[in-house]
Amino acid sequence: MTPTQAPRHKVVVIGSGFGGLFGTKALRRSDVDVTVIAKTTHHLFQPLLYQVATGILSEGEIAPPTREILSGQDNARVILGEVTAIDLESRTVTSKVLGRDTVTSYDSLLVAAGASQSYFGNDHFAEFAPGMKSIDDALELRGRIFGAFEMAELGATRGDDVDHLLTFVVVGAGPTGVEMAGQIAELAHRTLRKDFRAINTRDARIVLIDAAPQVLPPFGAKLGAKTKAELEKLGVEVMLGAMVTDVDERGLEVKFKDGTVERINSVAKIWAAGVQANPLGKTLSEQTGAPLDRAGRIAVNPDLTLPGHPEVFVVGDMIALDNLPGVAQVAIQGAKYAAKEINNRLEGKQPQEPFKYFDKGSMAIISRFRAVAMVGKLRLTGIVAWLMWLGVHLIYLTGFKNRVSALMRWAITFISNDRSERTTTEQQIFARAALARLRGGAADLVSDPGIYDATRAMMEETRRQELEAAAVREAELTDSGARGVPADRVGGA
């Protein structure tokens, strides 16, 4: 008789971003069962979201299906759902999709839930100035940007003032903000210059705003000054030392350090300033006592585990450790470290040395043939940095077909100024706001399973009663016929 085989070690991975995906793939040869729980069906290459928003790439080229990526990994499965609760004592994770809960147990847990846009306590700004953290965000921004040009053409045809429609404001002068501002300038000055009749797209005003004293603060003063100069050559108006104090449908207010306030009328506004860790960090903090920093990141041990819970690893944008930056490489390296530690424990090996991040450098593209790069002590600008940026991003794109497709799109865009992904719809622009007005979000648009079951039970009971009544009536008819009573007198006067 074959002895009962012990159950395999269960690893749950929360998130399908860089940390979640690389952590899962690092366990492909381990004697474990991996369950990936993610609120989207795709793995998002977030650094290229701005290219989806400005019509260079399609969403599929930077967001391949997670199931497809992991289809060849037999020990991994994927569950769709947003994680709403983690119970460290019972070792379970609860996820929800369209009002339906799923509870998944684990032996080891890898939390790589990432971060969301931060509005610094002014979350109501999001309605009028979307961030750029998801495919939905990028498609909405695409609709807002190209839609602004369309509405400006319509307004100019009627003789209306369209300055507010041709003013584009990007809040945040980090890499995302710089790249976004540069691409909107390219759109207005090159791509769209011959497409309209009533407006001149080259008259568009592009404003980049940041409270910091320089552009790209992490890159140092020299590269920051170089980037600012290149943006201004493109026609971008750079406002530094300026804090956004209010945002509405028609524009925003900016307060400078000297106390003066300026109103900028703009319909198309993009928020690229600040991030905050996933709310799961707070959930973990409440159960472990681990402190959170101002951005909601949780303090972890040097081996990326939670205090008192060596079976729980947290990686990427969610951790507060050694002032690590919120970049993809931190998540990738941390996830690989955690996966190796899980494997070492199962094989009875010694623990690894404390996690140490290897900084591979930072890059930001400004526009066509213009970029800045910081690798160790090396500082690069111009076309050399631009080519380096292209190569690095091409390598980290997931899937051969996506790399080939992206390379072809880049060739077309940067050589001819043409952009293939300019299709927009009203749904892209307004769906997020519409869903936000529903108390339960998208779940309110789907029949509640409890209500459905109750309704079906009522219908079945009604049908049963109708059948019983029909049977009684048929029996009365049969009985009256036997006694010679006219059928039309049965049950009536």
Side-chain angles (χ1 to χ4, degrees), residues 6-222:
R8 297 221 299 180
H9 191 86
K10 294 176 292 187
V11 180
V12 169
V13 177
I14 300 176
S16 60
F18 288 108
L21 184 65
F22 278 81
T24 301
K25 294 175 76 172
L27 292 167
R28 63 188 179 277
R29 294 189 179 90
S30 301
D31 188 25
V32 298
D33 289 321
V34 185
T35 300
V36 180
I37 305 175
K39 64 180 181 180
T40 67
T41 61
H42 53 264
H43 162 67
L44 177 61
F45 191 83
Q46 203 172 96
L48 292 179
L49 268 176
Y50 78 94
Q51 294 199 3
V52 174
T54 54
I56 298 174
L57 298 176
S58 72
E59 59 271 28
E61 287 164 329
I62 70 164
T66 309
R67 293 184 184 280
E68 180 182 316
I69 299 170
L70 299 176
S71 61
Q73 185 170 333
D74 293 338
N75 70 339
R77 66 171 183 147
V78 181
I79 293 178
L80 177 64
E82 182 173 8
V83 173
T84 55
I86 300 173
D87 190 326
L88 298 181
E89 184 176 351
S90 64
R91 296 192 179 187
T92 59
V93 173
T94 301
S95 55
K96 183 187 292 288
V97 60
L98 295 178
R100 295 159 173 82
D101 288 335
T102 301
V103 179
T104 309
S105 61
Y106 66 84
D107 296 310
S108 293
L109 177 64
L110 175 59
V111 185
S116 59
Q117 203 73 58
S118 173
Y119 289 86
F120 307 106
N122 298 291
D123 291 347
H124 58 286
F125 288 0
E127 180 179 355
F128 310 110
M132 197 154 44
K133 289 293 182 182
S134 69
I135 288 295
D136 286 337
D137 291 339
L139 292 178
E140 179 179 348
L141 287 171
R142 181 196 292 176
R144 286 176 177 255
I145 293 167
F146 287 102
F149 285 110
E150 294 293 342
M151 296 307 294
E153 174 79 357
L154 187 62
T157 302
R158 295 195 302 255
D160 299 340
D161 180 7
V162 296
D163 286 351
H164 63 295
L165 291 166
L166 290 177
T167 299
F168 301 85
V169 180
V170 181
V171 182
T176 300
V178 166
E179 291 165 346
M180 195 70 185
Q183 285 306 312
I184 295 175
E186 292 261 343
L187 267 178
H189 300 155
R190 291 192 176 97
T191 305
L192 303 178
R193 70 184 188 278
K194 296 181 179 179
D195 291 10
F196 296 90
R197 301 296 176 262
I199 61 171
N200 183 352
T201 61
R202 285 173 288 187
D203 292 335
R205 181 188 180 195
I206 299 99
V207 185
L208 179 64
I209 300 173
D210 201 298
Q214 73 160 73
V215 174
L216 297 177
F219 285 67
K222 187 176 181 180

Side-chain angles (χ1 to χ4, degrees), residues 418-451:
D418 186 30
R419 299 182 186 223
S420 302
E421 298 297 326
R422 287 168 50 180
T423 302
T424 64
T425 68
E426 286 187 351
Q427 280 193 22
Q428 290 175 352
I429 303 171
F430 299 111
R432 177 178 62 94
L435 286 173
R437 293 175 184 176
L438 299 175
R439 179 176 298 179
D444 283 357
L445 301 176
V446 181
S447 296
D448 181 85
I451 295 175

Side-chain angles (χ1 to χ4, degrees), residues 248-378:
D248 57 40
E249 183 180 1
R250 291 284 178 167
L252 48 77
E253 287 187 358
V254 178
K255 185 176 182 179
F256 295 91
K257 291 186 176 180
D258 61 4
T260 60
V261 177
E262 179 179 341
R263 167 88 182 175
I264 302 175
N265 293 321
S266 169
V267 169
K269 304 168 287 292
I270 299 97
W271 193 274
V275 295
Q276 59 186 8
N278 190 285
L280 290 177
K282 183 179 179 181
T283 298
L284 297 173
S285 174
E286 291 171 347
Q287 295 180 64
T288 63
L292 299 175
D293 67 7
R294 293 178 60 186
R297 296 175 298 191
I298 191 168
V300 295
N301 295 324
D303 64 352
L304 305 182
T305 62
L306 288 177
H309 289 272
E311 77 283 0
V312 181
F313 297 84
V314 187
V315 301
D317 295 341
M318 292 186 64
I319 65 171
L321 177 68
D322 301 333
N323 294 316
L324 293 174
V327 295
Q329 276 300 321
V330 171
I332 292 171
Q333 294 177 30
K336 289 181 176 179
Y337 175 95
K340 186 175 181 181
E341 189 64 23
I342 291 171
N343 208 41
N344 284 352
R345 292 176 185 177
L346 293 176
E347 295 178 357
K349 296 181 179 179
Q350 291 295 315
Q352 301 174 84
E353 294 294 322
F355 174 70
K356 186 175 182 181
Y357 169 60
F358 174 65
D359 187 358
K360 295 186 177 181
S362 300
M363 303 177 187
I365 193 169
I366 304 168
S367 66
R368 184 177 61 163
F369 309 137
R370 295 182 177 98
V372 292
M374 180 177 65
V375 184
K377 295 182 179 180
L378 189 62

